[in-house]
Structure formats: C-alpha cells, structure tokens
Amino acid sequence: MRVFDESGDALRALTEAITRLHVRAGCPAPATVAEFIGVGGYDHVISADTVHRILNGKPARWGSVRVLALTLAQLTLPTGEIPDEVVRIRALWDTADRAARSARGYSDPALLREAKLGLSGRGDPVSLFQRALAYVPVSADRSFLISPTARAGVWMCAFTTQAGVREHRPRAVPAWDGAHLKMRGDELIRRVCALPISVGLLVDPDEAAREAMPLPHHVIVALNAGRDTRSPA
C-alpha cells in the first residue's frame, strides 16, 4: 500500500479491524507485539515501529500487515477462526491498496507488463501465457485454490515458473501445502471457464500482487472463445 485513498475509508476499515484484535489482546505495547512476532517462527518479522505505524493507520505492505494480524489473532481468537480472520483482513488490505494506487493514478500492471514485453520484442504477454506452461496451486483434492475479495470478485493465482509457485507458498492465506498442477496456459483458461463461478487469474503475482498480470473473468471468457483481447492500436 503506497498512499492514503482520498476519503481514507478503505484504510480506516483495515485499521479498525486490526485495532479490534489489538484491543482484544489487551493493547500490548508495539515492542511487546514485535517480540511475539520475533519468536513466532514467521517467515516475515517487523519492528516495533512498524507495528506502531500500522496500528496508527499508516500504509504498510501486506507481508507486514499479515504477520501482525496473525499474531494478534493467535492471541485473541480460537484456532479455527484465525484463517477466516486473516482472509477478511487481506480483503480489507486489498481494497485499501487498490484505492491508494487509484488515487495516485498508477498505471494498470498488465499494460505496463505488455509495454515492457513489446519493447523487448517478446510479443503480447497474454498470447505468451496461453502457450506457456503454468503452475497452478491446488488443494488436497486437486481443486483450484480461489480467493474471494470484498469488491473485486473471485481470483486465483497461476505462475509461469516453479520458483514463483514455491515463493508463493509461505505467504498463502489460508495455509497451503504447495500442491500444484502443471498445464498450458490455454488449458488453464479452458478449465477456469468451466468452473461454476466467475473466477479471474492473477499471473505471477509478487507479495503485494502489484506486478501480476491480471486476467479478469470476462477476458478469460474471450480468450477461451478465441477472441483477441488486446486494445486496438
């Protein structure tokens, strides 16, 4: 998350959700929370200053917000409720992050990616993805892992390298054991279209999903039907 959105509503909702957990935990000092995180065995640690900033409504990356939310949830909630709470906070963070980027007029990541690939002579990234081998996270029963958001619909991730899918494992919410399927991008698009709900694809997301190539469901439908989704020159 980079800046406040104009009204502050999205960031305020995220801050209120984390603050409620903090209050339920007895309002431990930021230094105490940072110590809990440091000994918690997490893949990401944050300082007392970062804890203080997040609790005071300052923008932060998802990795920092996630580890704080997990720690506070573990101090206050039954074990079975923790994954759902983290998913809810992730949806709030996503909304705040989109609002922040929109307020600053950041370009669409897919367009940036397409421009970079085009300048380097590699062609249209969507067409490349259709021909590439995709690594797709799945559950124990081999079904796709999908993530609903508060306002942007339902999405799932796909990666074009094994390294990408490995790096995604520790930051997945809920926890994921690393199981994945391999298939061509066009086969994945066909299977996503066959799902009973509308699902979009995020291709190669980083930790904050800022560099992902988003393929909304309507684009996937068009690709499956063989229609060209690129904007006219």
Side-chain angles (χ1 to χ4, degrees):
M1 187 158 38
R2 297 170 179 171
V3 295
F4 285 93
D5 61 294
E6 184 175 354
S7 67
D9 289 346
L11 185 57
R12 190 175 303 112
L14 170 64
T15 303
E16 288 174 352
I18 297 174
T19 299
R20 280 194 293 271
L21 290 175
H22 186 236
V23 170
R24 289 185 61 173
C27 296
T32 301
V33 177
E35 288 177 9
F36 286 148
I37 293 171
V39 300
Y42 299 111
D43 59 316
H44 184 91
V45 295
I46 57 178
S47 66
D49 181 63
T50 299
V51 173
H52 182 268
R53 287 175 55 81
I54 294 172
L55 291 173
N56 281 275
K58 303 297 183 182
R61 295 182 180 275
W62 168 241
S64 299
V65 174
R66 173 179 176 268
V67 74
L68 176 58
L70 268 172
T71 299
L72 294 175
Q74 288 170 348
L75 292 172
T76 60
L77 298 177
T79 301
E81 296 180 14
I82 293 173
D84 289 342
E85 181 66 11
V86 175
V87 168
R88 188 176 73 85
I89 288 176
R90 176 58 192 258
L92 292 170
W93 184 91
D94 284 340
T95 300
D97 187 53
R98 284 194 303 273
R101 286 185 283 116
S102 176
R104 286 287 298 270
Y106 283 94
S107 299
D108 181 78
L111 297 180
L112 287 174
R113 189 174 183 133
E114 184 169 357
K116 291 175 184 176
L117 291 173
L119 287 172
S120 64
R122 293 175 59 192
D124 170 42
V126 177
S127 297
L128 288 173
F129 174 70
Q130 288 178 278
R131 299 191 300 270
L133 187 63
Y135 300 82
V136 190
V138 295
S139 62
D141 65 359
R142 314 296 277 180
S143 60
F144 293 141
L145 294 183
I146 60 176
S147 299
T149 65
R151 298 181 183 176
V154 180
W155 293 80
M156 57 182 280
C157 296
F159 300 86
T160 55
T161 65
Q162 285 186 302
V165 82
R166 283 196 302 269
E167 291 168 3
H168 180 68
R169 180 177 179 179
R171 62 177 183 258
V173 178
W176 162 59
D177 65 5
H180 60 277
L181 299 177
K182 292 190 293 184
M183 66 189 76
R184 270 180 52 125
D186 51 7
E187 171 63 11
L188 174 59
I189 285 169
R190 185 188 67 77
R191 293 182 59 175
V192 170
C193 281
L195 294 173
I197 59 175
S198 298
V199 179
L201 272 174
L202 283 177
V203 181
D204 289 333
D206 64 359
E207 180 177 341
R210 291 196 185 98
E211 297 302 324
M213 180 174 71
L215 299 177
H217 184 73
H218 72 275
V219 171
I220 292 174
V221 170
L223 291 170
N224 191 52
R227 298 197 297 273
D228 190 346
T229 61
R230 290 173 295 180
S231 299

